[in-house]
Amino acid sequence: AIVHPVDELSLAGAINAAREGLITPIFVGPRAKIDAAAASNAHNIADFEIVDVPHSHAAAETAVALIRDGRADALMKGALHTDEVMGAVVPRATGLRTERRMSHVFVMDTPAYRKLLFITDAAINIAPSLGDKQDIVQNAIDLAKALEVKTPKVAILSAVETVEPKLQSTLDAAALCKMADRGQIRGGALDGPLAFDNAISPEAAKTKGIVSDVAGDADILVAPNLEAGNFIAKELDYLAGAVAAGIVMGASAPIMLTSRAEGMISRTASAAIAKLYRRAQEQ
């Protein structure tokens, strides 16, 4: 279900994902605006289903209802704000909530790094508690494993690599690592606190004397809060030439959530990731 695809970027992303065999799109939004966007960009959407609703808010609610009714398996954000999409997703009675805390994961292909980087949470949880971070970490591990990372290496980020009582993110990092030791977080190898440099650079980790399977080789970067995660992801995107896909985990269906400024490649990659995750769920 493609929510409010009334501009070139969101429409082209969905159409390209369909051409690649990743999705069968159902466009949900004002039909006149969808048709106008298609016509102005020479897109043929005659073969695609359109569910006509009056505005973006109704589009989000209707798209969620399509998933709840079994007519759609995933949701893709179009030309509307994240808050509108999540506003329809979050309600317990009518949305897509599960017992797991929902969180966003950027999957980034960065030329400067030798493998995919999973960055979380940069879009939903503003100031996550320790309990929230437990789910955020588990969500990211589950996604990485669906993308065939056998044992994801999880770096819990802070400004420093030692536990500092006055810096809450270091306390959370230490607690999360112990939770993994006790089986409260499963499937990954955790270490933290780690600063950004020694999470991704073997040289930085060696210089600082950090002996760890995760340091210098992280798959997943867990930010202490939304601002930090958002900065990391967008800096890699705009300054390091990364391609960023985005997906919300912890809901009853995968939610493709990219910035409204992201182009077709990012939206297509998000569809591919959602498809891989959905396949892993079904196995």
Side-chain angles (χ1 to χ4, degrees):
I2 319 298
V3 185
H4 202 63
V6 297
D7 68 348
E8 161 64 4
L9 288 177
S10 57
L11 199 60
I15 291 170
N16 191 64
R19 287 174 180 160
E20 295 289 341
L22 300 170
I23 63 172
T24 302
I26 303 172
F27 297 122
V28 185
R31 177 181 289 272
K33 290 185 177 181
I34 294 171
D35 287 340
S40 64
N41 294 284
H43 291 307
N44 182 1
I45 59 172
D47 294 335
F48 299 131
E49 180 180 355
I50 298 176
V51 178
D52 187 21
V53 296
H55 45 66
S56 59
H57 185 72
E61 291 183 340
T62 301
V64 167
L66 289 175
I67 293 172
R68 290 179 63 91
D69 293 343
R71 290 189 56 202
D73 295 318
L75 186 149
M76 179 183 283
K77 175 189 168 189
L80 74 170
H81 197 278
T82 295
D83 286 350
E84 275 194 279
V85 177
M86 296 309 297
V89 168
V90 166
R92 289 194 180 276
T94 59
L96 304 176
R97 289 183 73 169
T98 67
E99 294 304 311
R100 183 82 64 82
R101 179 84 177 183
M102 281 183 270
S103 59
H104 183 269
V105 184
F106 272 116
V107 184
M108 309 202 75
D109 183 4
T110 306
Y113 200 59
R114 58 196 169 279
K115 55 184 176 178
L116 291 177
L117 267 177
F118 299 76
I119 299 171
T120 190
D121 182 344
I124 294 180
N125 294 282
I126 295 172
S129 66
L130 177 60
D132 296 337
K133 289 180 180 180
Q134 179 184 0
D135 283 347
I136 288 169
V137 171
Q138 191 66 66
N139 285 339
I141 290 172
D142 291 350
L143 181 59
K145 290 177 76 70
L147 271 63
E148 299 186 354
V149 181
K150 186 175 181 181
T151 304
K153 297 178 179 181
V154 184
I156 315 298
L157 297 183
S158 185
V160 296
E161 59 279 349
T162 54
V163 176
E164 299 292 341
K166 293 183 179 180
L167 191 55
Q168 184 62 44
S169 59
T170 70
L171 301 177
D172 287 351
L176 289 166
C177 292
K178 184 51 66 177
M179 292 169 86
D181 291 343
R182 295 291 187 264
Q184 293 172 270
I185 298 171
R186 298 179 180 273
L190 274 64
D191 195 9
L194 290 171
F196 182 85
D197 57 349
N198 48 59
I200 64 168
S201 168
E203 293 79 12
K206 183 178 179 181
T207 298
K208 294 188 177 182
I210 301 171
V211 179
S212 164
D213 291 336
V214 175
D217 194 37
D219 297 294
I220 298 170
L221 302 179
V222 180
N225 53 43
L226 184 143
E227 293 101 324
N230 199 273
F231 292 160
I232 293 169
K234 290 184 177 176
E235 284 163 0
L236 292 175
D237 190 352
Y238 285 92
L239 295 178
V243 175
I247 186 168
V248 173
M249 299 286 294
S252 59
I255 301 168
M256 290 155 267
L257 198 66
T258 56
S259 167
R260 285 169 290 173
E262 292 291 352
M264 183 174 65
I265 293 176
S266 292
R267 294 171 189 271
T268 305
S270 297
I273 289 166
K275 188 177 183 71
L276 287 169
Y277 177 67
R278 191 72 178 180
R279 181 181 297 169
Q281 283 184 308
E282 293 168 353
Q283 289 177 349

